[in-house]
Amino acid sequence: MADINRAWQVLGDPVRRREYDLSLREPTSTSARSSTATSARATSAAYQPPDALEPARFPWKLLGVLFVLGLVFVIVNTATASDPVPPKVDNVLQPGDCVVIETNGDAAERLCAEPHDGVVEVLLPTGEPCAATAEPHRDKQGMGTACVQLG
């Protein structure tokens, strides 16, 4: 324990540590001391602590590669994507649906890309009046009155 305390007193004090390091570099006459000093010199020569650490490098190359891969993915995905599924008529009227007015006065849903008579503004329960800008037509399913903006 005394040896450990002595070693700590030398290694813990920067001035004593410098003197100890210099003493290891001086040639000694004893062969045992010489072999110890040689191994200590080899160890101290192998590791030289840097005076100042360089800042960490940012992985720009990795980010560049990831960016290019992402760009290729987007381009390939765009080129190979199929057209979206066209909307289908579900015969359930909702505001914004395009309709055709049948001969009996009912409003039937149609695709807006096809010829149509108007657009549903609002759906009301049967018997309620529509706004002045829309005509009332019975929903083909009998779910109420469709206020249709003709046009």
Side-chain angles (χ1 to χ4, degrees):
M1 191 64 175
D3 291 337
I4 293 173
N5 285 336
R6 249 183 272 116
W8 175 249
Q9 288 174 350
V10 171
L11 298 177
D13 182 15
V15 174
R16 288 183 181 175
R17 171 68 184 259
R18 191 174 311 116
E19 290 173 2
Y20 174 75
D21 288 343
L22 291 174
S23 72
L24 291 177
R25 293 184 182 140
E26 294 175 0
T28 57
S29 59
T30 5
S31 63
R33 178 94 171 158
S34 175
S35 67
T36 307
T38 305
S39 66
R41 268 188 243 130
T43 305
S44 66
Y47 174 73
Q48 292 294 329
D51 294 335
L53 296 175
E54 291 183 27
R57 295 184 49 196
F58 195 77
W60 287 110
K61 289 180 183 177
L62 174 66
L63 286 181
V65 168
L66 290 177
F67 175 76
V68 169
L69 288 175
L71 190 62
V72 167
F73 175 77
V74 168
I75 291 171
V76 168
N77 216 9
T78 303
T80 60
S82 62
D83 291 334
V85 177
K88 295 182 181 178
V89 174
D90 60 0
N91 290 322
V92 177
L93 289 182
Q94 298 176 7
D97 284 346
C98 297
V99 293
V100 171
I101 307 301
E102 295 180 344
T103 55
N104 65 358
D106 289 352
E109 183 181 8
R110 291 290 180 262
L111 292 176
C112 291
E114 297 174 0
H116 58 278
D117 296 326
V119 178
V120 176
E121 280 187 0
V122 67
L123 294 171
L124 300 172
T126 306
E128 289 191 28
C130 288
T133 60
E135 287 186 10
H137 291 278
R138 190 172 76 92
D139 179 7
K140 184 177 181 179
Q141 298 293 322
M143 302 299 287
T145 302
C147 297
V148 178
Q149 173 107 27
L150 297 176

